[in-house]
């Protein structure tokens, strides 16, 4: 029986992965072992299997016994453990949601509805590291990967609206604590319909700027505000999140000549779901109906939203999409800068297609590969 070790299963991505695996009845055909960096010895999660208590996620000997390791623990963990594990001679498959190994030449970024051919080639070639892509990149490619593949895209800019959960479980909690603090600051004036709107606004702004406003994780107010900065700075002036749009998209697609991609990544006060407004310079004047049919036919999850207010409000928002696998694409139109300029808006649950779902699927693909022979 194959042995699969799970690390980072209680974090934001890991919890969603566990939910999806249970929903799809994936916990069969292998022995599961759960490890933790902080809760060694406690009970493993209930996934309907007999499992030992939580193991030490830093114990190279325990990890070396696994055929496959699935980690959603984060890049710090990967950087600490992965080199030692390989140095100890481990030959197993490393499936990881973190970015640490994504750009390594011996890693494949997985998004199988878009790059199954690249994954299959990797398995045939003996590649052992399969890494989930950046959430915004994966969602963008689920939405419009087909336009890249058709050769319609000369360059692209993305303006993103990314959820608090993109930064992890503790950041989600902080967003709600911020919202609660703002609610408390406005409560009395809100209860009085005759109160001045400027007083209400002043109270809320004052609370947001107060010393004791909860901001340990985000470093700034997110509720009632936004943060146009995600991840670390680069020399280019981009943030690392912005750089990933170019680097990862071209790697996932296996582009010999990279397509220019850039934009601004912004954190907003939603719980789940990353949204993005894309401006695309087409390689030629492709008619809108052709663009729409190429997008709609790309995969089972993409969904065209007609460019009307009613459909947009109903289908094209985090509130509509959260918790689901659908990838709506709407507001599709040519810009008045010329017929080769296309704009559209897309939303997706970044914890699903942007994180847990490609990992869930690559686990099944690797197990299928290992048991086929
Ligand atoms: P996370 O929620 O912070 O969880 C990571 C680990 O933190 C957990 O496995 C857990 O490890 C520990 N932890 C500490 N306090 C916790 C709490 N209150 N609740 C739950 N876990 C807690 O991180 P994440 O967002 O899942 O991200 C994991 C990796 O996936 C990162 O590399 C991230 O960049 C990547 N990723 C995230 C997203 C996203 O949308 N969030 C998308 C794509 C990729 P122990 O059990 O060992 O203590």
């Amino acid at each position: 029986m194959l042995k699969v070790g799970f690390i980072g299963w209680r974090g934001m991505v890991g919890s969603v992965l566990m939910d999806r695996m249970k929903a799809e009845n994936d916990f069969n055909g292998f022995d599961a072992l759960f490890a933790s960096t902080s809760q060694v010895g406690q009970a493993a999660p209930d996934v309907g299997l007999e499992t030992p208590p939580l193991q030490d996620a830093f114990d190279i000997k325990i990890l070396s016994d696994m055929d496959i390791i699935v980690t959603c623990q984060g890049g710090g963990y990967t950087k600490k453990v992965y080199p030692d594990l390989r140095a100890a001679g481990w030959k197993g498959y490393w499936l990881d949601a973190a970015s640490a190994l994504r750009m390594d030449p011996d890693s494949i970024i997985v998004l199988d509805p878009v790059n199954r051919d690249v994954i299959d080639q990797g398995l045939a070639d003996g590649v052992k590291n399969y890494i989930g892509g950046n959430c915004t990149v994966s969602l963008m490619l689920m939405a419009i990967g087909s336009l890249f593949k058709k050769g319609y895209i000369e360059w692209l800019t993305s303006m993103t609206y990314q959820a608090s959960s993109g930064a992890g479980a503790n950041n989600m909690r902080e967003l709600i604590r911020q919202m609660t603090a703002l609610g408390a600051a406005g409560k009395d004036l809100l209860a009085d319909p005759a109160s001045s709107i400027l007083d209400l606004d002043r109270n809320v702004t004052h609370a947001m700027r107060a010393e004791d406003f909860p901001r340990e994780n985000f470093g700034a107010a997110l509720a009632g505000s936004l943060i146009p900065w995600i991840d670390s700075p680069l020399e280019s002036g981009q943030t690392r999140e912005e750089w990933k749009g170019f680097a990862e998209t071209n790697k996932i697609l296996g582009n010999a000549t990279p397509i220019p991609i850039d934009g601004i990544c912004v954190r907003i006060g939603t719980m789940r779901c990353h949204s993005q407004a894309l401006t695309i310079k087409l390689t030629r004047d492709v008619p809108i109906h052709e663009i729409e049919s190429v997008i709609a036919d790309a995969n089972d999850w993409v969904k065209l939203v007609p460019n009307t207010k009613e459909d947009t409000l109903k289908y094209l928002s985090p509130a509509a999409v959260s918790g689901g696998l659908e990838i709506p694409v709407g507001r599709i139109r040519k810009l008045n800068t010329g017929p080769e300029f296309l704009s559209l808006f897309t939303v997706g649950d970044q914890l699903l297609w942007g994180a847990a779902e490609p990992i869930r699927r690559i686990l099944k693909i690797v197990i299928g590969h290992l048991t086929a022979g």
Side-chain angles (χ1 to χ4, degrees), residues 7-330:
I7 296 119
W9 47 272
R10 82 176 177 111
M12 205 48 250
V13 176
S15 311
V16 174
L17 176 65
M18 294 299 107
D19 273 4
R20 283 290 297 142
M21 287 187 67
K22 282 191 266 183
E24 297 287 339
N25 201 19
D26 285 344
F27 280 106
N28 64 61
F30 58 84
D31 287 332
L33 186 121
F34 292 88
S36 169
T37 63
S38 67
Q39 300 185 327
V40 181
Q42 294 188 25
D46 179 10
V47 294
L49 292 178
E50 285 277 312
T51 45
L54 295 176
Q55 305 292 304
D56 180 356
F58 294 113
D59 188 326
I60 298 295
K61 197 161 170 296
I62 291 173
L63 299 178
S64 295
D65 198 32
M66 299 295 115
D67 299 295
I68 303 170
I69 289 174
V70 179
T71 168
C72 303
Q73 183 65 23
Y77 174 79
T78 300
K79 284 182 195 153
K80 189 167 163 54
V81 164
Y82 174 83
D84 291 349
L85 193 56
R86 289 291 187 214
W90 184 65
K91 299 273 190 298
Y93 289 79
W94 180 268
L95 317 185
D96 196 340
S99 63
L101 302 178
R102 270 184 209 145
M103 298 310 290
D104 282 14
D106 58 355
S107 295
I108 286 179
I109 305 180
V110 292
L111 188 64
D112 67 276
V114 174
N115 72 344
R116 180 66 198 249
D117 53 337
V118 178
I119 293 169
D120 286 342
Q121 190 59 52
L123 288 167
D125 293 346
V127 175
K128 296 288 177 68
N129 300 336
Y130 295 86
I131 318 297
N134 169 262
C135 39
T136 324
V137 170
S138 296
L139 293 174
M140 189 257 286
L141 284 174
M142 287 298 289
I144 59 143
S146 53
L147 300 183
F148 281 104
K149 287 186 170 176
K150 279 272 184 187
Y152 289 170
I153 299 181
E154 185 179 318
W155 55 253
L156 175 154
T157 80
S158 63
M159 300 296 157
T160 74
Y161 307 79
Q162 300 184 217
S164 59
S165 51
N170 288 328
N171 292 65
M172 282 177 96
R173 287 174 184 275
E174 184 165 285
L175 173 63
I176 298 300
R177 286 211 304 281
Q178 291 190 356
M179 287 174 170
T180 305
L182 297 189
K187 191 162 176 257
D188 291 346
L189 290 172
L190 208 52
D192 172 10
S195 66
S196 151
I197 191 62
L198 287 183
D199 286 343
L200 180 61
D201 177 46
R202 215 170 283 123
N203 279 10
V204 166
T205 304
H206 181 73
M208 207 184 283
R209 292 175 181 163
E211 279 278 307
D212 60 352
F213 192 66
R215 58 168 80 82
E216 318 67 67
N217 290 284
F218 283 114
L222 186 63
S225 188
L226 57 76
I227 304 174
W229 189 283
I230 299 177
D231 211 336
S232 49
L234 298 181
E235 291 249 319
S236 59
Q238 295 167 301
T239 64
R240 186 165 295 280
E241 184 81 355
E242 289 153 5
W243 170 82
K244 286 173 184 171
F246 170 78
E248 292 192 21
T249 302
N250 283 294
K251 178 164 177 173
I252 291 171
L253 293 170
N255 288 338
T257 309
I259 293 174
I261 296 170
D262 208 344
I264 297 180
C265 293
V266 181
R267 186 78 70 200
I268 58 159
T270 49
M271 288 294 272
R272 278 169 84 141
C273 293
H274 292 349
S275 310
Q276 42 199 321
L278 305 179
T279 299
I280 297 171
K281 169 71 168 54
L282 298 165
T283 47
R284 63 181 171 83
D285 176 9
V286 186
I288 283 289
H289 66 85
E290 196 176 320
I291 299 271
E292 289 182 339
S293 81
V294 168
I295 291 174
D297 293 343
N299 59 55
D300 293 343
W301 300 274
V302 74
K303 177 188 158 86
L304 277 189
V305 177
N307 189 15
T308 67
K309 179 177 180 185
E310 197 186 4
D311 288 294
T312 300
L313 265 56
K314 197 165 173 188
Y315 301 115
L316 198 60
S317 70
V321 170
S322 189
L325 287 162
E326 245 173 26
I327 307 282
V329 183

